[in-house]
Amino acid sequence: MIAGSSPEPDEATVKAVGKLSEALESVERARGHLYSWHQLTGKADFELGDAAALLAKAGHQELADELSREIVGRNVLPDRWSFQAVEEYEDTYYEPLRRYEARVRESLTAGRRHLYEARLKEERRTHGHPHHTAAPGKP
């Protein structure tokens, strides 16, 4: 331990913080999928507008009008477009979890990230092997 530094957390703490970080990583992935949903939904809305224009051009004005009126620009959830659902997810779930995870890491591991994985790396690497270094610039 370095003078003035926090003591090394015990294995149970490292495991618990690691599981919390793993959960945050899953939420990060879910958030990415949510952005994909948002962008694909927006793209589809413009494609539907194009389809309505093509239906009208092909002489199907009534169907084009119905598509434009009933589907183009429609809320994807009650009272919400997809961007609003993304914002609510971020404000209600993602950001509070992100802050909590950072606070727990700060409190229990001196803010160090991926401590569980760092310990696994140290256990699994072949010491002295050039492709199994401890960290960048360290043997």
Side-chain angles (χ1 to χ4, degrees):
M1 183 173 79
I2 301 169
S5 68
S6 302
E8 280 296 308
D10 61 78
E11 196 60 35
T13 298
V14 169
K15 226 177 199 177
V17 174
K19 185 56 74 173
L20 178 58
S21 294
E22 183 180 7
L24 177 59
E25 289 172 7
S26 293
V27 169
E28 291 281 6
R29 290 183 62 205
R31 182 174 173 251
H33 288 293
L34 191 56
Y35 270 93
S36 293
W37 168 75
H38 159 59
Q39 291 174 348
L40 288 170
T41 300
K43 182 179 185 296
D45 191 64
F46 280 100
E47 291 168 341
L48 290 166
D50 293 344
L54 290 170
L55 283 168
K57 186 176 181 180
H60 309 287
Q61 192 63 52
E62 189 175 315
L63 291 170
D65 291 345
E66 182 182 2
L67 178 58
S68 293
R69 181 182 64 253
E70 296 296 326
I71 306 296
V72 174
R74 185 183 183 106
N75 290 331
V76 297
L77 296 170
D79 305 320
R80 290 166 188 78
W81 270 20
S82 61
F83 78 90
Q84 292 165 311
V86 170
E87 288 175 355
E88 287 183 29
Y89 180 84
E90 287 185 339
D91 293 346
T92 303
Y93 191 74
Y94 171 74
E95 285 298 334
L97 175 58
R98 210 170 69 80
R99 287 189 303 270
Y100 179 79
E101 188 270 347
R103 185 168 56 88
V104 168
R105 270 190 304 99
E106 205 50 52
S107 173
L108 300 178
T109 68
R112 291 176 291 175
R113 293 177 293 178
H114 298 102
L115 192 54
Y116 180 78
E117 289 90 338
R119 287 187 178 182
L120 281 178
K121 179 179 182 177
E122 190 57 30
E123 289 172 13
R124 297 177 58 82
R125 73 186 189 95
T126 302
H127 291 262
H129 190 290
H131 297 295
H132 290 238
T133 56
K138 295 185 180 179

